[in-house]
Amino acid sequence: MEDSPNQTNEFNVGQRVHAYSDSTRIGTVKYVGNVEGYSDTWVGIDWDYGGGKHDGSINNVRYFHAKSEKSGSFVRPKNLSKGISLLQALEKRYRSNSTKDEVEEMYVLSTSNKKVSIELLGTSEINDKLSRFEELTNASLAYMGVSSPGIPCELSITVPNIKELDLSGNLLSEWKDVGSICEQLPALKALNLSYNLMSPYKSELPLLKSIRVLVLNNTGVDWEQVELLRQSLTTIEELHIMGNNISRILPVSSSMVQGFDSLRLLNLEDNCIAEWSEIMKLSQLRCLEQLYLNKNCLSSLFYPDNGCQYYESEVTSCKPFQNLRCLLLGDNNISDLASVDSLNLFPNLVDIRLSGNPITDATKGGVPRFVLIARLAEIQILNGSEITSRERKDSEIRHVLLKTMFCKYAISH
């Protein structure tokens, strides 16, 4: 069961914990010991989302370094939780009375502002099915304080058919625990570990041959870690690594990222990549169809056929991005039409997002949608909106007229 508030807890520096009364308030233990002027033992916490009182120092004495001025605080051990096992979280989520009570207490407000209870059709049948763990195929355990897999082999016996598992916002940090969970759930195909602060990869993971979708958003995982994980993720089709402050793509053995033979979708949104040359290191991923690069720091892009050669000949065995169909570049710093024109050189690109860049902002010298459509001859979807044959025809006519007017103006002046 979850730690009792009256139980004497021993905490270690680096351990992930949450506030005892709030499993969504997560932090990292940075200090355990006495605090000058106060009795007994205190635990210094650096909270993930702020909400602390200081930066790790109090009364001019520094005990630890928090990541911001107001993310640190000292907490009594009884007010912290080390978390629970995955199986305990499943029990709590799908078999506890609280879940059923929450459903039964659903209501709407009447015109007189009084609560009127409502009953969902099939509620009892749904609860009954969810409580039969052997039939459970999808489980959502977000922000439930999961910190360990639990007793070995219990998961495989209790929930043998789990295919999709959401563990976002928990207390997991060790890859060996992730490996243990995956080993015990042989049917698992999709795993979400977002907002678990993962420690650097140290030991080998087992072969995770069933995992098709892995979500590692806001976990601190960088590309070096991804390269190490690649050896275990032999059948991965979707990889999401948003918000991890990635600025460089660092292949292990050559200038290009190799392997990932089944990867169709790579999500690198909300990172810090500024150079398109870093993205080109992904260009030999043969199955890659969707690449998400929104909210990075890219200022331009190119395709190597456009006079840019920097590859090692031995690794360019196929056309760069030969199967890429969707490229999302929203909210970057792209401002030049040469970058837009280079998109025409991608062999199979049909879906592009450029919104939020200076090139699409008229106040920053950008161009309107019809100009982009006219210049991107093969694109079928622009900024999430399908380009109809009528819109394309109109855009091309307007673009020709615009160029004609510009030429006449230039000649007259």
Side-chain angles (χ1 to χ4, degrees):
M1 296 300 291
E2 191 168 355
D3 303 328
S4 166
N6 297 318
Q7 180 180 337
T8 301
N9 289 302
E10 292 184 0
F11 293 93
N12 302 310
V13 172
Q15 186 174 9
R16 298 284 283 165
V17 296
H18 67 73
Y20 184 82
S21 59
D22 183 1
S23 61
T24 67
R25 193 173 189 224
I26 301 169
T28 303
V29 175
K30 294 292 188 178
Y31 173 84
V32 181
N34 297 325
V35 175
E36 188 176 317
Y38 297 87
S39 60
D40 301 324
T41 299
W42 292 83
V43 182
I45 304 294
D46 191 6
W47 299 105
D48 286 3
Y49 311 116
K53 297 181 178 179
H54 50 71
D55 64 352
S57 63
I58 185 171
N59 296 331
N60 296 319
V61 178
R62 178 162 297 284
Y63 296 90
F64 64 94
H65 290 274
K67 62 179 176 291
S68 68
E69 292 183 358
K70 294 291 183 179
S71 64
S73 63
F74 288 103
V75 185
R76 290 292 191 188
K78 68 178 182 179
N79 293 324
L80 294 171
S81 172
K82 299 177 181 180
I84 57 180
S85 72
L86 176 52
L87 193 58
Q88 287 173 325
L90 283 165
E91 292 277 354
K92 185 176 180 180
R93 174 69 178 85
Y94 294 108
R95 282 183 175 168
S96 70
N97 290 329
S98 60
T99 302
K100 296 176 182 178
D101 291 343
E102 288 170 2
V103 173
E104 290 169 1
E105 288 177 3
M106 292 186 70
Y107 62 87
V108 294
L109 293 176
S110 69
T111 53
S112 58
N113 211 35
K114 291 183 179 180
K115 292 182 180 180
V116 178
S117 297
I118 61 172
E119 181 179 352
L120 295 176
L121 292 176
T123 297
S124 59
E125 290 84 352
I126 292 171
N127 284 333
D128 181 56
K129 184 173 182 178
L130 289 176
S131 66
R132 296 198 300 272
F133 279 0
E134 68 278 3
E135 297 182 19
L136 200 62
T137 57
N138 301 333
S140 178
L141 303 175
Y143 291 95
M144 292 198 67
V146 176
S147 59
S148 71
I151 300 171
C153 300
E154 270 194 339
L155 282 175
S156 58
I157 296 171
T158 310
V159 284
N161 296 310
I162 291 286
K163 294 180 180 178
E164 298 182 12
L165 180 59
D166 182 2
L167 289 173
S168 55
N170 281 287
L171 306 180
L172 295 167
S173 61
E174 298 297 330
W175 284 107
K176 63 179 178 61
D177 291 333
V178 175
S180 175
I181 290 169
C182 293
E183 270 193 311
Q184 294 183 65
L185 300 175
L188 187 64
K189 296 186 181 300
L191 177 62
N192 188 349
L193 294 171
S194 298
Y195 295 98
N196 287 272
L197 188 59
M198 302 305 298
S199 299
Y201 181 91
K202 295 176 182 176
S203 57
E204 285 190 12
L205 278 176
L207 188 63
L208 307 179
K209 58 184 179 181
S210 65
I211 298 295
R212 301 288 190 273
V213 180
L214 182 60
V215 187
L216 297 172
N217 299 336
N218 300 97
T219 56
V221 171
D222 59 18
W223 193 263
E224 289 178 288
Q225 294 289 297
V226 170
E227 287 283 340
L228 293 172
L229 291 170
R230 172 173 59 89
Q231 303 168 36
S232 297
L233 300 169
T234 56
T235 58
I236 192 75
E237 295 177 4
E238 290 188 20
L239 180 60
H240 300 260
I241 41 179
M242 293 174 58
N244 289 333
N245 293 315
I246 294 172
S247 59
R248 298 193 63 196
I249 306 297
L250 299 170
V252 170
S253 57
S254 73
S255 63
M256 310 292 283
V257 174
Q258 303 292 301
F260 294 110
D261 294 332
S262 302
L263 189 65
R264 295 183 298 102
L265 187 156
L266 178 59
N267 186 348
L268 282 163
E269 291 189 11
D270 197 20
N271 279 292
C272 308
I273 303 171
E275 299 295 331
W276 184 252
S277 57
E278 296 297 319
I279 302 303
M280 290 305 299
K281 295 174 185 177
L282 304 168
S283 64
Q284 293 296 301
L285 296 177
R286 299 190 183 192
C287 290
L288 190 64
E289 297 176 359
Q290 300 178 67
L291 181 57
Y292 298 170
L293 298 171
N294 295 325
K295 296 183 179 179
N296 274 275
C297 306
L298 297 164
S299 58
S300 64
L301 62 109
F302 58 83
Y303 192 82
D305 284 352
N306 198 20
C308 301
Q309 303 293 336
Y310 67 96
Y311 298 109
E312 297 175 4
S313 59
E314 65 269 19
V315 297
T316 54
S317 55
C318 62
K319 284 186 177 182
F321 294 117
Q322 67 174 10
N323 287 310
L324 190 68
R325 295 180 59 81
C326 174
L327 179 59
L328 305 187
L329 293 165
D331 296 299
N332 278 277
N333 300 315
I334 299 168
S335 59
D336 62 307
L337 285 172
S339 291
V340 174
D341 292 341
S342 70
L343 294 170
N344 289 307
L345 299 172
F346 287 70
N348 290 292
L349 191 62
V350 294
D351 184 353
I352 183 72
R353 179 176 292 277
L354 290 168
S355 56
N357 284 278
I359 193 62
T360 64
D361 187 346
T363 65
K364 297 179 180 178
V367 297
R369 176 180 170 90
F370 79 86
V371 172
L372 295 175
I373 292 173
R375 297 183 82 105
L376 297 171
E378 303 300 325
I379 298 302
Q380 300 171 14
I381 301 173
L382 176 61
N383 297 334
S385 177
E386 184 178 358
I387 302 170
T388 64
S389 56
R390 177 64 180 272
E391 184 182 20
R392 175 162 293 284
K393 182 177 180 180
D394 290 347
S395 296
E396 290 171 352
I397 292 171
R398 292 178 68 187
H399 188 233
V400 170
L401 291 174
L402 182 66
K403 288 197 297 183
T404 302
M405 290 173 60
F406 180 79
C407 290
K408 288 181 177 178
Y409 178 84
I411 293 171
S412 65
H413 288 76

